[in-house]
Amino acid sequence: MTRRLSLFLAAALVPAAAGAAPVLDPLFSDHAVLQRGKPIAVWGTADPGEKVTVTLAAVSRTATTGKDGRWRVDLPSMQAGGPYTLVASGKDAAAARASDLLVGDVWLCSGQSNMEYPVRRALNADTDIAAANDPEVRLLTVQRRTSLSPQSKFADAIAWSLLTPESVPGFSAACYFMARDLRASEKVPLGLIHSSWGGTQISPWIDLTSAEPFEKENAGLLALYQRDPLAANLRFGTRWESWWKERTGTEPWRDSRALAWKPMPTAAYWEGWGDPAFKDYNGLVWARRKVTLTAAEAAWGATLSLGVIDDADETFVNGVPVGNSFGWDLKRQYKLPARLLRAGENEILVAIADSWGYGGFQGPASVLSLAIAGGETKSLGDGWEYSVAPAGVTDPPRPPWDSNAGASLIYNAMIAPLGPYGLKGAAWYQGESDVGNNRPYAAKLGALMASWRKQFEAPKLPFLIVSLANYGAPQTGPRPSGWAELREQQRIGARRDPDAALVVAMDLGERTDIHPANKQEVGRRLARAARHAAYGHDEPVGPAAATAERSAGAILVRFTGVTGKLVPWSGTRALAFELCGEDQQSCRYADAIPDGNVVRLADDGRPATRVRYAWSEAPVTNLYDEALLPPGPFELPIR
């Protein structure tokens, strides 16, 4: 026997290597809920060119993996039911399985901190948590992440979990309480996907193509940041510098002696400095630190580490803007090429902007450093000075790579990986961080809804929009209100969209707490809106102002969506109605009497071109319909 023949026979006796099993996308894990009543998209990965067969409830579909290793099949629609096992099989019988799947309705709940607010902090939490034991409700939470480009999978492991007293405490309270009411009325399995991030504006949640009309200036800057972060920071820095100079007339990055400096007690939150002036300080503070380098050290370049800064920073080294970041849990690290450093004294300037809660360096001091490339690390834990910005110099511009305010970064990492997963609807509770933003929130809300519908392949996907809750000091007379303007933008955005419903919450808040605990009532109102917008129930969402017109010495405001009639609680008059002329100074409170679905405002004979209602951060109102639902804030022209 020749050596070649021996090798051939030996190889023939060795079993062929088993093919790797196809992989189901993690969204299709054990306990998942699939959307009823529409084709079910299922996807995953396998070897390029491999034929994958997907089977659910004895129905199979086959797809061939593309060059990118991805495959997708569309299974026929199914009625509510289960449990089922989902199988994706490939060559040599290798298969991936997900068990205990249900078919029902899937809701995506998203927004900022009031959607993120967990069940364990809600009213009556202990009782509600103990009763949360429903095997036909499944929960999935998306972790906070950002990305400069749309992602096809999540950066963190995700998995569905059964609703139990152990799984629900950290889940979104508004989302869960909505689902609890829907389970009682619709009696189908529910899957809840929670993807929220506190403190975020709306722009990061919109895909870049849809956001481009609002981000024309930033789109190119974001693309530059992907290629060269330092170059992008240099370009954005000119915008930031102009903002500061217009308000103060100074350029401290060119000559820091333009500011008055004091020794910083410690590189830690300024609320802990022991200075009464910083006990509850929210504003902008400059920090300065000088460091000496040898010619050899400067020639290497370095990495500047500042630890976590709360909230935002604009950082300069030797007068050059090198970084701008936002986030009370984000560690700042900025690469410094050799051309920015010099032999001798180098100056680090950090403009720290804080809008709420703690402010400044988080510390400890040991995390602040300058690491010379290939050399020693110099401690920057002490020796800092600080200078407080003039009163009113707040809210500096934020760059498009800002995780909380920039263009598309959160969408890319927290919505895009959901792919075309089947949904019944989406609940959106966000807006606090956009108060005071003069760009058009209603148009951005429309862009968000359109972009998500396109991704989820659902052109008429229902959206439930929660209008901001009341928060802030009460007022004794009409005045401008950024919160009221944002609520008006939410109302307009929802009114423009035939598949959106507005959920009013301006009577559920706390004057001194931006995160009200009564999420049960928010959930009840969300569920009612869902039954109207997504389930076709003949159940009004709540009173909505439609028109204001003159009639026989009065102005009549007509409402739609009223259950029964409008009733003023604790009196015969409805509070918080205003008549206004062309300017703010003309606004005054009006005598208002409800009658069925109309509120009659007494004409006081003074010029009036518009009606406003509940125009305040924390309006005091007493008008409800017989379903115990209030009309929301509005502004209407008088016809």
Side-chain angles (χ1 to χ4, degrees):
M1 183 182 294
T2 66
R3 183 172 182 274
R4 178 177 296 178
L5 180 58
S6 297
L7 291 174
F8 173 81
L9 291 175
L13 296 174
V14 177
V23 176
L24 287 164
D25 188 279
L27 285 165
F28 305 97
S29 65
D30 293 350
H31 316 305
V33 178
L34 305 175
Q35 180 57 46
R36 63 173 171 152
K38 61 179 296 183
I40 300 171
V42 180
W43 62 91
T45 58
D47 293 336
E50 182 174 356
K51 183 179 288 186
V52 177
T53 299
V54 178
T55 303
L56 178 70
V59 176
S60 298
R61 293 290 185 272
T62 299
T64 300
T65 306
K67 294 180 180 179
D68 60 357
R70 298 184 60 80
W71 54 265
R72 169 183 168 172
V73 301
D74 291 298
L75 299 170
S77 64
M78 298 175 61
Q79 298 301 310
Y84 300 107
T85 297
L86 179 69
V87 180
S89 57
K91 57 190 176 185
D92 302 316
R97 287 177 170 81
S99 61
D100 189 34
L101 274 63
L102 300 178
V103 175
D105 289 337
V106 182
W107 282 89
L108 171 59
C109 298
S110 186
Q112 58 178 109
S113 55
N114 269 306
M115 183 61 87
E116 201 172 34
Y117 192 94
V119 173
R120 63 171 173 265
R121 292 177 57 193
L123 296 177
N124 199 40
D126 290 346
T127 300
D128 284 332
I129 289 171
N133 203 339
D134 186 342
E136 292 198 353
V137 176
R138 313 292 174 82
L139 313 177
L140 186 148
T141 297
V142 176
Q143 299 302 311
R144 295 176 174 181
R145 292 288 178 182
T146 63
S147 174
L148 293 172
S149 59
Q151 299 299 296
S152 60
K153 62 180 181 180
F154 292 106
D156 303 281
I158 60 168
W160 290 88
S161 62
L162 303 178
L163 174 66
T164 67
E166 291 71 38
S167 65
V168 79
F171 196 75
S172 164
C175 190
Y176 166 63
F177 292 126
M178 174 188 74
R180 187 175 67 178
D181 273 29
L182 289 178
R183 273 285 290 156
S185 64
E186 306 311 306
K187 305 186 188 310
V188 297
L190 292 178
L192 308 180
I193 301 174
H194 174 230
S195 181
S196 296
W197 191 329
T200 54
Q201 295 184 7
I202 192 172
S203 289
W205 293 96
I206 309 172
D207 81 88
L208 191 56
T209 300
S210 301
E212 192 168 0
F214 321 106
E215 302 289 349
K216 289 180 180 178
E217 184 180 7
N218 286 330
L221 194 57
L222 188 61
L224 176 61
Y225 185 82
Q226 295 181 19
R227 302 190 306 270
D228 188 341
L230 182 58
N233 271 290
L234 288 170
R235 184 180 298 179
F236 173 78
T238 61
R239 189 189 307 176
W240 197 100
E241 291 166 357
S242 295
W243 169 84
W244 174 268
K245 188 176 180 181
E246 287 172 1
R247 286 156 178 77
T248 68
T250 64
E251 298 178 290
W253 50 90
R254 296 185 186 276
D255 185 354
S256 63
R257 292 174 298 179
L259 304 177
W261 297 96
K262 294 181 181 180
M264 185 179 290
T266 179
Y269 291 140
W270 52 58
E271 284 83 358
W273 288 356
D275 185 339
F278 285 94
K279 182 180 179 182
D280 296 305
Y281 180 76
N282 295 310
L284 193 146
V285 175
W286 287 88
R288 178 174 73 172
R289 176 65 154 83
K290 297 181 179 180
V291 59
T292 300
L293 300 177
T294 66
E297 289 172 332
W300 278 102
T303 297
L304 175 63
S305 297
L306 299 173
V308 172
I309 294 176
D310 196 339
D311 296 329
D313 70 289
E314 175 70 27
T315 298
F316 300 83
V317 173
N318 294 328
V320 177
V322 298
N324 184 299
S325 303
F326 177 94
W328 43 87
D329 56 358
L330 177 67
K331 293 180 181 179
R332 272 60 166 186
Q333 283 195 327
Y334 300 130
K335 296 287 187 182
L336 307 179
R339 68 178 184 275
L340 297 185
L341 303 175
R342 57 194 177 212
E345 186 177 80
N346 293 259
E347 184 177 71
I348 302 165
L349 280 180
V350 186
I352 302 172
D354 174 51
S355 59
W356 185 79
Y358 290 109
F361 294 118
Q362 183 187 78
S366 59
V367 303
L368 281 71
S369 65
L370 185 71
I372 308 301
E376 71 170 302
T377 297
K378 295 179 178 290
S379 173
L380 301 178
D382 56 11
W384 288 88
E385 301 171 286
Y386 75 92
S387 179
V388 179
V393 182
T394 57
D395 298 323
R398 293 162 68 172
W401 54 84
D402 182 324
S403 61
N404 287 50
S408 307
L409 271 70
I410 297 177
Y411 168 85
N412 291 339
M414 296 178 63
I415 299 297
L418 291 170
Y421 201 83
L423 298 180
K424 183 67 172 180
W428 176 252
Y429 192 170
Q430 186 276 339
E432 296 90 341
S433 290
D434 280 281
V435 171
N437 189 341
N438 60 5
R439 289 180 288 181
Y441 186 91
K444 290 183 178 181
L445 184 57
L448 179 140
M449 292 189 286
S451 68
W452 288 20
R453 286 168 175 152
K454 181 178 180 181
Q455 173 183 318
F456 293 110
E457 301 176 2
K460 297 181 69 64
L461 182 72
F463 269 83
L464 315 178
I465 311 300
V466 183
S467 178
L468 294 187
N470 44 313
Y471 168 67
Q475 65 187 49
T476 57
R479 66 185 185 196
S481 170
W483 282 69
E485 290 174 0
L486 196 285
R487 293 188 190 108
E488 177 68 356
Q489 287 289 300
Q490 292 174 315
R491 183 185 75 88
I492 292 171
R495 185 190 64 190
R496 288 174 178 170
D497 192 299
D499 298 300
L502 189 70
V503 176
V504 174
M506 58 91 186
D507 61 325
L508 303 178
E510 299 287 345
R511 187 168 62 82
T512 58
D513 190 346
I514 201 171
H515 302 119
N518 188 5
K519 294 297 189 286
Q520 288 88 342
E521 180 62 14
V522 174
R524 183 185 80 88
R525 294 180 186 181
L526 276 167
R528 187 183 181 96
R531 285 190 288 271
H532 174 85
Y535 292 97
H537 288 218
D538 185 16
E539 183 177 52
V541 175
T547 61
E549 56 189 23
R550 296 185 183 277
S551 176
I555 291 92
L556 305 182
V557 181
R558 299 187 184 277
F559 290 81
T560 59
V562 177
T563 299
K565 63 182 179 180
L566 294 169
V567 179
W569 289 3
S570 300
T572 60
R573 301 292 193 269
L575 302 174
F577 281 88
E578 300 176 26
L579 290 174
C580 298
E582 296 302 323
D583 56 23
Q584 170 61 39
Q585 288 70 29
S586 67
C587 293
R588 66 275 187 192
Y589 290 128
D591 189 54
I593 300 176
D595 182 12
N597 69 336
V598 174
V599 175
R600 178 182 296 269
L601 307 184
D603 190 343
D604 59 8
R606 296 166 56 189
T609 59
R610 55 201 166 105
V611 174
R612 294 197 315 200
Y613 175 67
W615 204 262
S616 168
E617 286 84 354
V620 176
T621 61
N622 68 336
L623 187 63
Y624 289 80
D625 70 5
E626 294 180 6
L628 309 184
L629 294 171
F634 64 84
E635 181 177 69
L636 288 178
I638 299 174
R639 300 190 306 193

